[in-house]
Amino acid sequence: MVGTKDRSQKSYVLDTCIGRRCYDNPAYLDMLKMRIDLEASKAVFTTVSIYEIDNKADYGYDDVKSRLEFVSDSKIGTEEISEEMNVLGIWLNEKIDGLHYPDNQILAFAMITGSILVTCDKGLERASRSVGHHVINPDSAVIDFVKTQSGLGKLARSKASSLKQKMAKPARAIKKPVTKIVWG
């Protein structure tokens, strides 16, 4: 059925620079739409990008989101950075030269959620490739989905998987003995 979204739907996390570039240059958004099908996918910004856009641009996140949604005819979601993503982000920062905050948080989000990272930041693109995570840079002529098999990549994917499992486990309820009160 046309227009329905199924379980195989691709998920994308959009980096701050993508939002700003698409807002500043509508032609860039057209180029991005040629690379990814926003209508048939789930695309999100993280709270990190919202903060960066609101505090480092002459316009606000709501303006960016509205323009992207209008031009792409699709909804753009927003997602929180969890504690597990923060932990992975710190670990990635320690292991990857040139990676810095808050890019580490966005990469951690992408890894834990299994989202494809969309960025025009060459440093973040390089960091993503170094851990074997899928990344699209609309500025690049070629989109490379080949996962690297480096030791760091395997270790990073293992750490992300472990943290993702922690997120999925609900907190265990502690059962207290029940005391019956008899009113007499």
Side-chain angles (χ1 to χ4, degrees):
M1 180 183 277
V2 175
T4 60
K5 296 181 181 183
D6 60 29
R7 300 189 89 163
S8 63
Q9 174 187 49
K10 288 187 178 179
S11 294
Y12 298 94
V13 60
L14 307 174
D15 184 23
T16 307
C17 61
I18 287 293
R20 291 179 69 179
R21 181 131 350 140
C22 288
Y23 182 85
D24 293 338
N25 182 357
Y28 195 84
L29 179 55
D30 289 338
M31 183 177 67
L32 178 65
K33 287 180 0 184
M34 290 181 359
R35 298 291 181 115
I36 62 176
D37 184 359
L38 290 170
E39 290 182 56
S41 334
K42 177 184 176 189
V44 301
F45 282 106
T46 66
T47 50
V48 168
S49 292
I50 295 168
Y51 176 82
E52 282 192 304
I53 291 169
D54 280 343
N55 291 293
K56 295 183 179 178
D58 295 337
Y59 42 83
Y61 171 73
D62 291 336
D63 298 325
V64 171
K65 183 178 183 231
S66 293
R67 181 169 292 175
L68 264 68
E69 287 179 339
F70 178 76
V71 174
S72 69
D73 197 30
S74 59
K75 283 291 195 192
I76 307 291
T78 55
E79 296 282 339
E80 295 277 333
I81 299 292
S82 70
E83 180 59 33
E84 290 81 4
M85 292 170 189
N86 186 46
V87 167
L88 180 59
I90 291 168
W91 184 87
L92 290 167
N93 232 16
E94 293 171 354
K95 303 293 181 190
I96 302 172
D97 287 336
L99 185 63
H100 57 84
Y101 179 84
D103 289 350
N104 63 331
Q105 303 290 295
I106 297 168
L107 178 54
F109 177 92
M111 291 177 71
I112 287 180
T113 62
S115 301
I116 298 168
L117 176 61
V118 182
T119 184
C120 51
D121 178 328
K122 291 184 188 289
L124 182 53
E125 176 187 12
R126 216 173 2 264
S128 186
R129 290 187 191 286
S130 76
V131 294
H133 191 76
H134 293 307
V135 60
I136 294 173
N137 183 341
D139 294 340
S140 298
V142 177
I143 297 175
D144 179 14
F145 283 112
V146 177
K147 284 192 173 187
T148 60
Q149 296 300 319
S150 71
L152 176 61
K154 290 177 186 175
L155 189 58
R157 286 189 297 278
S158 173
K159 182 131 182 99
S161 177
S162 170
L163 289 165
K164 183 177 181 175
Q165 287 176 356
K166 282 184 181 180
M167 285 177 65
K169 292 181 183 176
R172 244 180 55 200
I174 300 172
K175 293 184 179 183
K176 294 181 179 180
V178 177
T179 305
K180 185 174 182 182
I181 299 175
V182 179
W183 301 92

